[in-house]
Amino acid sequence: MRDLYEVLGVERGASQADVKKAYRRLAQQYHPDRNPDDKHAEEKFKEAANAYQVLSDDEQRALYDRFGFDGLRRGGGAGQNGFGSVEDIFSAFGDLFGDFFGGRSSGGRRQARGADLRVDLGLTFAEAVWGSTKDVKVTRDVPCTLCKGSGAAAGSKAETCRTCQGKGQVVHAQGFFMVQSTCPHCRGAGKTIKDPCTDCRGRGAKPETSQLTVTVPPGVDDGQTLRLAGKGEQAPSGAAGHLYVVLHVQGDERFKRDGEDILTEVPVSFVKAALGGEIEIHTLEENCTGSATIDLKPGAQPGDVIVRRGQGIPRVGEHGRGDHVVQLKVEIPKKLSARQEELLRELATELGEDNVKAERRGLFGRKK
């Protein structure tokens, strides 16, 4: 087991303010909202919370400083791996971060946070590049209007849970450690209901489908997620969860995207590549329907690129744009007229190309 001071990255003589600051930094870095489905980050998140749980308590810290983890075991402290789940950490330390973790109830007990929700949102390529405003339908739990979220029938009220004494958490031994987890009887609510509301059946909430407006910023990409804080399910007596909007962007055959840069392949005849001239290209302007003219210098080679600086995808949340890379695709004709072949043979002779294939002659040509 790692030293708790090492986990938080503080010295043994660090003040409580420094301990709190270090924990806040690590918790924000490894928070599940910022690292979805990342087991490594979740373990780091728990590890930091376990260390802070001990070092923020003067009595437990003194035991740890003197006897290490043995002192915590003898004294009944939490120690390493003291929290059973991420939600237990939210309940224990949510007030350190305000809206980042959820608020704090008026009675001093941390509020439970409602469930997070996910919706999928389809975007065209142009909508992803330049941003858009889209409406999505979301079904989520909202407080019951009949019981006003209490879950209890009219004329009755919820009672303090006898198992956790209203704390919403229970502590039990797990091996050498004391583990804190959500109360299994009241499911973290801290209260029980004997006479439930007839409308919501004691849940304190009912499902409701509503339409939300999502503002998509310019420059988003396929697979990215937008978080709408507080737009998830509403806990009956706590903060709302978050709504995660997963973006699915349609491709555009005219543009290939690489981060904030885009690539356009432009077909160019071998004559124009040799002599130079003007070529028309598609651009992102005018909602991805724009065009521009590029002056092609003589002697362009297949695969050559022309970079249009600052004409690519807007950077999300920042100023500036990526680049638009135009790549030349020189086309060689597969069939030539007699006159075209004659001219090319004259050019080959002029350039000293002696090894080109001989002129093909038909039956009547050979008779001549």
Side-chain angles (χ1 to χ4, degrees), residues 50-68:
N50 293 327
Y52 179 72
Q53 185 182 27
V54 172
L55 300 184
S56 63
D57 184 287
D58 291 336
E59 184 177 344
Q60 291 192 52
R61 183 174 178 176
L63 286 172
Y64 178 73
D65 287 344
R66 188 171 183 182
F67 303 108

Side-chain angles (χ1 to χ4, degrees), residues 26-74:
L26 290 173
Q28 289 180 334
Q29 179 181 352
Y30 295 112
H31 191 277
D33 285 353
R34 294 184 175 177
N35 304 273
D37 302 322
D38 188 334
K39 292 297 182 183
H40 175 72
E42 181 178 328
E43 291 304 316
K44 289 290 186 181
F45 185 69
K46 291 180 181 178
E47 184 183 45
N50 293 327
Y52 179 72
Q53 185 182 27
V54 172
L55 300 184
S56 63
D57 184 287
D58 291 336
E59 184 177 344
Q60 291 192 52
R61 183 174 178 176
L63 286 172
Y64 178 73
D65 287 344
R66 188 171 183 182
F67 303 108
F69 289 107
D70 287 338
L72 296 176
R73 287 191 283 268
R74 289 199 300 267

Side-chain angles (χ1 to χ4, degrees), residues 91 109-110 160-161 163-171 180-181 183 186 188-191:
S91 297
R109 188 175 63 84
R110 280 78 175 178
T160 301
C161 176
T163 302
C164 64
Q165 302 302 313
K167 297 178 180 179
Q169 306 287 322
V170 293
V171 179
Q180 179 177 265
S181 60
C183 175
C186 67
K191 298 179 180 180

Side-chain angles (χ1 to χ4, degrees), residues 112-231:
R113 188 164 67 89
D116 294 334
L117 300 177
R118 164 183 167 157
V119 295
D120 295 281
L121 179 62
L123 300 172
T124 64
F125 186 80
E127 288 173 335
V129 171
W130 296 114
S132 62
T133 300
K134 308 283 283 186
D135 292 329
V136 295
K137 287 186 177 181
V138 181
T139 300
R140 52 185 176 171
D141 279 350
V142 297
C144 174
T145 54
L146 182 61
C147 65
K148 297 181 180 180
S150 68
S156 65
K157 61 180 182 179
E159 299 178 355
T160 301
C161 176
R162 296 181 180 181
T163 302
C164 64
Q165 302 302 313
K167 297 178 180 179
Q169 306 287 322
V170 293
V171 179
H172 58 276
Q174 182 175 317
F176 292 105
F177 309 113
M178 300 301 293
V179 178
Q180 179 177 265
S181 60
T182 302
C183 175
H185 187 61
C186 67
R187 298 182 179 179
K191 298 179 180 180
T192 58
I193 300 172
K194 289 187 176 181
D195 188 11
C197 169
T198 56
D199 197 17
C200 66
R201 299 181 180 180
R203 292 181 63 237
K206 293 181 63 179
E208 176 184 271
T209 300
S210 59
Q211 185 168 281
L212 298 178
T213 300
V214 179
T215 300
V216 180
V220 297
D221 202 355
D222 183 60
Q224 289 185 338
T225 301
L226 303 178
R227 189 185 79 159
L228 277 63
K231 298 300 183 180

Side-chain angles (χ1 to χ4, degrees), residues 292-313:
T293 301
I294 293 181
D295 184 29
L296 189 64
K297 295 181 180 180
Q301 301 297 308
D304 280 358
V305 296
I306 300 171
V307 180
R308 304 175 71 232
R309 301 291 181 188
Q311 299 299 310
I313 308 288

